[in-house]
Amino acid sequence: MLARLVLGLVIFDAAVTAPTLELINYDSETYDATLEELDNLYNYENVPIDQAEIEIVTVMPSGNKELLTPPPQTEDAQEEEEEEESTPRLIDGSSPQEPEFTGVLGPHTNEDDLRRIDLTSNLISEIDEDAFQKLPQLRELVLRDNKIRQLPELPTTLMFIDISHNRLGKKGIKQEAFKDMYDLHHLYLTDNNLDHIPLPLPENLRALHLQNNNILQMHEDTFCNVKNLTYIRKALEDIRLDGNPINLSKTPQAYMCLPRLPVGSLV
Ligand SMILES: *[C@@H]1O[C@H](CO)[C@@H](O)[C@H](O)[C@H]1NC(C)=O
Ligand SMILES: *[C@@H]1O[C@H](CO)[C@@H](O)[C@H](O)[C@H]1NC(C)=O
């Protein structure tokens, strides 16, 4: 149990302690506030772990090994768990049975308590299709500043997604990828190569950041329902489309249900 909590923390801490983090320019004032809020919510800071343990697995940003090691599933689980508490093996480059580093984020199964994954500033280029499938508690997925071209299926429990500064293109996001994420509040996809707004957007979404992509157009009903003018999308207050070739003046009906106009080019 503790080992699993450690896993969650370790991923997060590895990112936080990465020296390159200072260079990252968060694209919103609210970003940091939100992360803090989430921190408080999950209270990771109260998990008693000494600094030494965290340092053992600090692998970034040299990041030449970043495969996730599955949790122990043998009959000796108890014994192995104790061992793991002294030397967490989440990101284990030295294990002989691991293949050479390939920039692939591997599957990790049955991480029942894992709520947050933060692998900011690594060299991740590929993610296994089932990498995030068995994470029933996953709330936050931060994969900023990697080389990801394609997202696997994501858990519908996610509240916060940041895949900014990656290489997501035309086919980088699955159809209707976010549709059933009823709790999703923040979707940050800044600095990719997306050519469309991923639809449909979940109803509770508050912030959609798509600046510096390659979006050329949208439909009148991307955000609103042109057939039902009483529909209001009241949660979505923060839409960023600046840095795209889109001309927002072409779809004047598209913002009628929104509390605020998207940020972007209106000329
Ligand atoms: C129009 O939208 C409102 C608010 O979402 C909803 O209550 C109503 O049922 C919708 N009407 C139709 C005809 O879909
Ligand atoms: C943007 O769209 C508006 C409305 O269609 C049009 O008048 C304007 O010329 C467009 N601007 C550019 C730069 O294409």
Side-chain angles (χ1 to χ4, degrees), residues 3 20 28 30 39 44 47 50 63 68 74 76 95 107 114-115 121 151 160 169 178 206 214 220 223 231 257 262:
T20 54
S28 160
T30 60
D39 265 351
Y44 283 138
V47 180
D50 57 46
L68 296 182
T74 60
D76 300 321
S95 169
L114 194 63
R115 288 173 176 244
S121 298
L151 287 181
F160 185 102
F178 308 109
R206 293 185 210 154
N214 196 26
E220 298 275 9
F223 304 115
Y231 170 76
C257 68

Side-chain angles (χ1 to χ4, degrees), residues 2 6 9-10 13 45-58 85-88:
L2 179 62
V6 171
L9 187 75
V10 155
D13 265 276
E45 273 146 34
N46 295 343
V47 180
I49 295 161
D50 57 46
Q51 193 61 25
E53 284 181 312
I54 290 164
E55 280 170 10
I56 289 169
V57 292
T58 299
E85 271 172 38
S86 53
T87 50

Side-chain angles (χ1 to χ4, degrees), residues 225 227-232:
N225 183 344
K227 292 193 184 119
N228 183 351
L229 297 178
T230 58
Y231 170 76
I232 297 172

Side-chain angles (χ1 to χ4, degrees), residues 10-262:
V10 155
I11 300 181
F12 173 64
D13 265 276
V16 164
T17 51
T20 54
L21 198 74
E22 291 156 29
L23 302 175
I24 292 165
N25 203 359
Y26 287 116
D27 49 57
S28 160
E29 294 282 323
T30 60
Y31 186 96
D32 289 313
T34 305
L35 282 177
E36 272 168 34
E37 267 170 37
L38 291 168
D39 265 351
N40 294 340
L41 195 60
Y42 302 135
N43 259 325
Y44 283 138
E45 273 146 34
N46 295 343
V47 180
I49 295 161
D50 57 46
Q51 193 61 25
E53 284 181 312
I54 290 164
E55 280 170 10
I56 289 169
V57 292
T58 299
V59 293
M60 293 181 233
S62 65
N64 45 357
K65 309 277 181 184
E66 59 224 15
L67 293 163
L68 296 182
T69 305
Q73 283 169 329
T74 60
E75 282 159 30
D76 300 321
Q78 186 63 37
E79 236 179 274
E80 281 204 31
E81 217 161 290
E82 273 169 33
E83 206 180 295
E84 242 186 71
E85 271 172 38
S86 53
T87 50
R89 293 170 51 229
L90 175 69
I91 300 170
D92 182 357
S94 58
S95 169
Q97 66 265 31
E98 296 291 356
E100 276 295 293
F101 171 67
T102 55
V104 177
L105 179 60
H108 46 107
T109 50
N110 298 322
E111 296 292 347
D112 289 349
D113 300 319
L114 194 63
R115 288 173 176 244
R116 174 181 201 162
I117 293 179
D118 186 336
L119 289 166
T120 297
S121 298
N122 273 278
L123 299 167
I124 298 165
S125 56
E126 275 179 57
I127 305 177
D128 270 24
E129 184 54 37
D130 54 0
F132 302 124
Q133 298 244 309
K134 289 183 182 157
L135 299 170
Q137 302 287 333
L138 194 66
R139 293 286 197 237
E140 211 181 317
L141 180 61
V142 180
L143 298 171
R144 273 182 86 91
D145 193 21
N146 280 288
K147 299 178 173 180
I148 299 163
R149 291 177 186 276
Q150 212 160 8
L151 287 181
E153 190 154 334
L154 301 176
T156 55
T157 49
L158 285 169
M159 296 171 63
F160 185 102
I161 299 176
D162 186 352
I163 320 216
S164 299
H165 300 276
N166 273 284
R167 298 186 180 167
L168 298 176
K170 204 186 188 78
K171 292 180 178 163
I173 297 178
K174 288 188 195 306
Q175 293 247 325
E176 306 195 335
F178 308 109
K179 182 179 171 223
D180 296 324
M181 295 187 187
Y182 297 108
D183 297 324
L184 186 66
H185 292 160
H186 292 79
L187 179 55
Y188 292 158
L189 297 167
T190 304
D191 290 294
N192 276 284
N193 197 27
L194 296 169
D195 65 352
H196 62 282
I197 297 173
L199 296 177
L201 297 167
E203 198 61 37
N204 293 319
L205 192 66
R206 293 185 210 154
L208 175 65
H209 285 196
L210 286 163
Q211 57 269 48
N212 305 326
N213 274 281
N214 196 26
I215 298 166
L216 185 59
Q217 57 184 353
M218 69 166 134
H219 302 291
E220 298 275 9
D221 56 2
T222 290
F223 304 115
C224 302
N225 183 344
V226 287
K227 292 193 184 119
N228 183 351
L229 297 178
T230 58
Y231 170 76
I232 297 172
R233 188 184 276 280
K234 59 177 181 292
L236 191 50
E237 293 195 327
D238 178 15
I239 304 173
R240 295 283 303 271
L241 284 163
D242 38 319
N244 284 279
I246 194 168
N247 176 353
L248 295 179
S249 302
K250 285 190 176 159
T251 45
Q253 306 296 313
Y255 325 112
M256 290 198 350
C257 68
L258 296 174
R260 272 182 223 158
L261 279 178

